[in-house]
């Protein structure tokens, strides 16, 4: 991603605005907009040799600070893109889970309806035959009683 070059006019304009921070240029210690303006005008009108050492150092510091901010911006932009991609993946997985749950609910309701239909058929058959049919639907974990051994034969009567 490309970034615009340093625009000293914009910095001066922002630094000259009204308010509690009037004439302050952020990121340059005690530099004011007036100092930056004078350094800018000196650098554009006079030769580079006439710029004071402190003004030159502040300008270099400003350029370094701008480069650091640009690097941080690029890093944060890359992190943001990764987070955005991760969020999109999670959202897709969430949608898949919702669809799967909906499908499971449909299947459960179909099985429940089939069970009720089968139960009704068995009950109708038992009623129509007129015989007592043991309940084929034992409760959970309940087994029908197992038949025991036959009773011993009765002793002979003499």
């Amino acid at each position: 991603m490309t970034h615009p070059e340093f625009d000293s006019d914009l910095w001066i304009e922002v630094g000259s605005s009204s308010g509690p921070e009037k004439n302050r240029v952020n990121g340059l210690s005690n530099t004011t907009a007036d100092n930056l303006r004078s350094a800018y005008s000196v650098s554009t009108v006079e030769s580079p040799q006439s710029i004071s050492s402190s003004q030159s150092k502040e300008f270099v510091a400003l350029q370094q600070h701008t480069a650091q901010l640009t690097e941080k911006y690029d890093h944060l932009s890359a992190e943001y893109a990764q987070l955005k991609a991760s969020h999109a993946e999670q959202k897709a997985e969430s949608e898949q889970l919702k669809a799967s749950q909906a499908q499971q609910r449909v299947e459960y309701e179909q099985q429940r309806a089939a069970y009720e239909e089968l139960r009704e058929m068995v009950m109708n058959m038992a009623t129509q035959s007129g015989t007592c049919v043991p309940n084929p639907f034992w409760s959970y974990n309940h087994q029908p009683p197992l038949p025991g051994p036959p009773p011993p034969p009765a002793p002979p009567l003499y």
Side-chain angles (χ1 to χ4, degrees):
M1 190 177 264
T2 61
H3 299 285
E5 293 294 317
F6 173 71
D7 184 355
S8 59
D9 291 332
L10 181 61
W11 276 85
I12 290 170
E13 180 183 329
V14 171
S16 299
S17 63
S18 63
E21 298 297 318
K22 182 178 188 229
N23 286 333
R24 300 285 302 160
V25 178
N26 294 324
L28 292 178
S29 64
N30 294 328
T31 303
T32 64
D34 292 334
N35 291 344
L36 186 59
R37 191 179 295 110
S38 65
Y40 177 69
S41 64
V42 166
S43 67
T44 57
V45 175
E46 299 176 19
S47 66
Q49 291 82 11
S50 65
I51 298 175
S52 73
S53 174
S54 65
Q55 291 172 337
S56 177
K57 287 178 185 177
E58 287 182 1
F59 184 73
V60 169
L62 181 59
Q63 285 180 321
Q64 289 173 345
H65 186 67
T66 302
Q68 289 172 350
L69 289 176
T70 301
E71 185 178 324
K72 284 181 183 179
Y73 175 81
D74 291 341
H75 177 72
L76 290 174
S77 293
E79 272 187 38
Y80 175 73
Q82 289 174 344
L83 287 173
K84 194 172 180 180
S86 174
H87 181 310
E89 286 176 18
Q90 290 175 352
K91 188 174 181 180
E93 288 175 6
S94 175
E95 294 299 322
Q96 287 176 345
L97 285 174
K98 286 178 185 178
S100 174
Q101 288 174 344
Q103 180 63 30
Q104 287 175 353
R105 267 189 239 112
V106 167
E107 290 172 3
Y108 170 77
E109 290 300 324
Q110 289 172 344
Q111 288 177 349
R112 184 173 175 201
Y115 170 80
E116 287 298 323
E117 186 179 337
L118 180 62
R119 184 176 178 277
E120 287 296 318
M121 287 173 45
V122 169
M123 290 303 181
N124 286 340
M125 287 174 31
T127 305
Q128 289 174 1
S129 69
T131 61
C132 181
V133 176
N135 185 358
F137 300 100
W138 295 101
S139 62
Y140 181 71
N141 278 341
H142 178 71
Q143 299 293 325
L146 297 174
L157 296 173
Y158 306 46

